[in-house]
Amino acid sequence: MSLTVTALSVWLAALLALYLLDNPKPVQPLREGVARLPVMGYNTWNAYYCDIDEALILKTANLMKSLGLADAGYDHVNIDDCYSEKTRSASGDIVANKDRFPSGMNNLTDQIHALGFKAGIYSDSGWFTCQLYPGSYSNEARDAKLFQDWGFDYLKYDNCAVPFDNITRQNIIGRYEPMTTAISDLAQMSGKPPLALSLCQWGREQPWLWARKFGQSWRTTDDIESTWDSIASIINQNSFITWASDFYGHNDMDILEVGNGALTYEETKSHFTAWAMMKSPLLIGTDLSSATKDTLEILTNPEIIAINQDPVVGTSISPFRWGTNSDWVSNKTHPAQYWSGESQNGTVFMLLNTLDESSTLFFNLTESPWIRAGRQYSVRDLWTHTDNGTAIRNFTAHDVAPHGVVALLLKDAGDEPKGLWPPCAVWEWCMNENGTRID
Ligand SMILES: *[C@@H]1O[C@H](CO)[C@@H](O)[C@H](O)[C@H]1NC(C)=O
Ligand SMILES: *[C@@H]1O[C@H](CO)[C@@H](O)[C@H](O)[C@H]1NC(C)=O
Ligand SMILES: *[C@@H]1O[C@H](CO)[C@@H](O)[C@H](O)[C@H]1NC(C)=O
Ligand SMILES: *[C@@H]1O[C@H](CO)[C@@H](O)[C@H](O)[C@H]1NC(C)=O
Ligand SMILES: *[C@@H]1O[C@H](CO)[C@@H](O)[C@H](O)[C@H]1NC(C)=O
Ligand SMILES: *[C@@H]1O[C@H](CO)[C@@H](O)[C@H](O)[C@H]1NC(C)=O
Ligand SMILES: *[C@@H]1O[C@H](CO)[C@@H](O)[C@H](O)[C@H]1NC(C)=O
Ligand SMILES: *[C@@H]1O[C@H](CO)[C@@H](O)[C@H](O)[C@H]1NC(C)=O
């Protein structure tokens, strides 16, 4: 009898093991509580590439404080690729580069934390990172534990140097799943908040369709470049997937080029407005020691940041009319021009002048689905920080600079004046009580 039971349980255990091998347990979404809002902070890649060390990172963190960026909400200092030795230790761990991080990662994260920031680190779902440092493939749990032990709060997880298909037997989802599971398991075991996981899988795998369960943000495009064409192209691509962003999961439009002299002042404002209002993470990517007054004014605009960090509304703005081109037309150089969305305090609008000359941008208020017909709205200009009167039925932004932007907050200000004509925004639905149509 007892032999039979033992044999049976061995048999059942074997069956279960076989079953689990073929049917891995479903991914547990990363525990809520981290990165509900888009992450704001600094990332070392665009300004420094591999040329990073602990002194630079601490200097940057100190500049973030002294320049007012910390007060404006930038609370992450994130290290990108190239921080480690090229090979793991004998026991299999990633080792911090001894020349560039001589005090060790715990020392560094202690100091970052002492300055009031969270600390971010970087790895890759393949054999190697993009710069050929150790990747986390097949070491996910070990590395997640190491990053937590090192004191990091956030992990950017890249997509280079992936193993052959005959090794992974996985597509992109299966290659990101192990780190998600490792972080989730680690959080449950340690009782500490999970590392915020920022997927860096570039965009061609359509992460907006699947990545919400895997991380708090996912890249939607290839790497940003410091040109208006790159900014316009990223806005264009993201204009079709705005629905994917909400609390705990964000389309990541990539590191900010605000402060890069290759962009004009107006282009920089458009870039920052689009990233903020589309609820992208806001990661500064330029050398802060040369930040100008204009750069800092843009990066710290409190009324634009408030939309990005809206505690009540997590969704992105979306186009309500494309403008220069027909609606729903994808055009890398001329993305949609007329955008709106909900916010805690009213409806926000972004008007983009995608043309190379200045132009006047006009819209009827009810073109935005969040505006009520028959009402009037107070207008707040979020760049000039002025109250710009009351909009009745429509709004005109005159002479918007080439590649420039207008950002507005419209608040309901009661019924519109009596006697305006036409009586309805949409004529073909506009009917008298006695059944005759108004037109
Ligand atoms: C970190 O390292 C620096 C330089 O080696 C040292 O002065 C400092 O005491 C260390 N701090 C901590 C918290 O260990
Ligand atoms: C996978 O494919 C590569 C290239 O075709 C081959 O060299 C290798 O032996 C294969 N590996 C396995 C584990 O099948
Ligand atoms: C809404 O208004 C309040 C009060 O002015 C402000 O503190 C908050 O940041 C605003 N929220 C947004 C999303 O703009
Ligand atoms: C993009 O839009 C501009 C402005 O309408 C137009 O001149 C250009 O030909 C369009 N490009 C493509 C590839 O359709
Ligand atoms: C704005 O509303 C007016 C009056 O109803 C209408 O004639 C015009 O076509 C509308 N324009 C747009 C861009 O919707
Ligand atoms: C804009 O609305 C006003 C009413 O406030 C109306 O008089 C005017 O004709 C509208 N303009 C357009 C172009 O529809
Ligand atoms: C709002 O008013 C300010 C101050 O008069 C002005 O500079 C700005 O251009 C106005 N904004 C718009 C969109 O017209
Ligand atoms: C229907 O009502 C409208 C608005 O009150 C009026 O102008 C129109 O003459 C009426 N038509 C009929 C057929 O009663």
Side-chain angles (χ1 to χ4, degrees):
M1 171 81 177
S2 80
L3 190 72
T4 318
V5 169
T6 311
L8 188 66
S9 47
V10 167
W11 171 234
L12 280 176
L15 261 185
L16 182 68
L18 269 177
Y19 171 82
L20 285 176
L21 211 62
D22 257 6
N23 303 277
K25 68 173 177 175
V27 182
Q28 296 299 312
L30 289 181
R31 226 172 37 173
E32 296 198 346
V34 297
R36 176 176 185 261
L37 302 174
V39 164
M40 293 176 66
Y42 192 91
N43 172 289
T44 52
W45 184 250
N46 287 22
Y48 304 108
Y49 302 106
C50 279
D51 201 7
I52 53 169
D53 59 34
E54 59 185 34
L56 171 81
I57 284 152
L58 289 172
K59 180 180 147 196
T60 301
N62 278 295
L63 280 168
M64 286 171 74
K65 281 200 87 160
S66 61
L67 296 173
L69 293 162
D71 286 344
Y74 295 89
D75 65 352
H76 279 71
V77 176
N78 296 346
I79 301 171
D80 210 281
D81 206 348
C82 308
Y83 61 83
S84 75
E85 294 286 341
K86 286 268 175 168
T87 51
R88 289 174 179 265
S89 71
S91 59
D93 279 332
I94 293 177
V95 180
N97 184 291
K98 295 192 180 70
D99 296 326
R100 292 188 276 114
F101 294 87
S103 312
M105 286 303 184
N106 286 102
N107 178 300
L108 183 60
T109 58
D110 281 351
Q111 298 194 60
I112 291 172
H113 289 149
L115 288 166
F117 297 104
K118 294 189 166 106
I121 192 71
Y122 167 97
S123 192
D124 189 289
S125 63
W127 294 123
F128 303 100
T129 69
C130 299
Q131 302 303 312
L132 303 180
Y133 291 83
S136 291
Y137 179 74
S138 77
N139 281 296
E140 289 87 358
R142 169 192 289 275
D143 291 354
K145 172 92 168 55
L146 178 73
F147 299 146
Q148 188 181 68
D149 289 348
W150 273 350
F152 287 101
D153 310 285
Y154 169 107
L155 173 64
K156 172 175 172 179
Y157 204 48
D158 220 333
N159 189 31
C160 283
V162 296
F164 290 152
D165 295 351
N166 63 3
I167 296 176
T168 65
R169 304 285 178 199
Q170 294 288 356
N171 198 344
I172 183 88
I173 293 178
R175 287 189 276 111
Y176 272 83
E177 187 277 332
M179 184 53 89
T180 305
T181 302
I183 290 173
S184 176
D185 289 351
L186 182 64
Q188 266 161 43
M189 279 181 320
S190 68
K192 294 184 187 163
L195 294 164
L197 185 60
S198 158
L199 273 56
C200 183
Q201 48 16 269
W202 313 326
R204 73 200 65 159
E205 305 86 359
Q206 307 189 67
W208 46 91
L209 298 179
W210 55 266
R212 178 168 275 278
K213 303 200 280 198
F214 292 79
Q216 283 86 4
S217 64
W218 47 85
R219 284 279 302 282
T220 55
T221 64
D222 283 348
D223 285 1
I224 191 171
E225 291 161 27
S226 52
T227 61
W228 173 251
D229 278 358
S230 170
I231 308 278
S233 160
I234 292 174
I235 294 172
N236 176 59
Q237 281 177 259
N238 279 275
S239 69
F240 300 96
I241 52 169
T242 56
W243 50 266
S245 280
D246 206 336
F247 295 130
Y248 298 110
H250 300 99
N251 287 336
D252 178 353
M253 298 164 75
D254 202 10
I255 297 165
L256 293 168
E257 286 291 330
V258 174
N260 189 310
L263 299 170
T264 69
Y265 175 66
E266 299 297 338
E267 289 169 345
T268 308
K269 277 166 53 184
S270 299
H271 169 30
F272 190 68
T273 307
W275 266 236
M277 290 194 171
M278 293 167 80
K279 305 288 167 92
S280 173
L282 299 177
L283 294 170
I284 300 167
T286 48
D287 177 356
L288 288 179
S289 61
S290 56
T292 64
K293 191 167 157 289
D294 280 350
T295 297
L296 293 171
E297 248 173 50
I298 292 173
L299 284 173
T300 61
N301 181 331
E303 294 187 270
I304 298 289
I305 290 175
I307 306 301
N308 184 257
Q309 299 290 303
D310 191 323
V312 176
V313 175
T315 47
S316 165
I317 55 166
S318 297
F320 58 84
R321 173 155 51 93
W322 260 247
T324 298
N325 296 307
S326 311
D327 287 350
W328 302 106
V329 166
S330 173
N331 183 311
K332 283 206 298 198
T333 54
H334 292 74
Q337 296 188 282
Y338 296 89
W339 302 65
S340 73
E342 293 177 283
S343 88
Q344 181 184 15
N345 300 325
T347 306
V348 287
F349 286 80
M350 176 174 81
L351 313 178
L352 267 186
N353 178 13
T354 55
L355 304 178
D356 300 336
E357 66 266 11
S358 63
S359 70
T360 289
L361 297 171
F362 166 91
F363 62 95
N364 287 321
L365 302 190
T366 54
E367 287 184 82
S368 164
W370 292 287
I371 290 287
R372 290 170 62 185
R375 307 284 282 183
Q376 57 188 354
Y377 285 81
S378 70
V379 178
R380 174 83 178 167
D381 184 321
L382 304 181
W383 278 110
T384 57
H385 308 297
T386 51
D387 294 324
N388 284 41
T390 305
I392 301 168
R393 298 264 172 126
N394 54 55
F395 185 85
T396 305
H398 295 279
D399 304 321
V400 183
H403 305 170
V405 75
V406 171
L408 305 172
L409 172 65
L410 268 66
K411 284 191 205 179
D412 191 308
D415 285 345
E416 68 180 17
K418 284 194 170 55
L420 292 182
W421 192 262
C424 300
V426 180
W427 276 71
E428 59 270 40
W429 299 342
C430 196
M431 186 161 278
N432 281 310
E433 232 177 324
N434 63 14
T436 59
R437 248 174 55 175
I438 200 79
D439 63 338

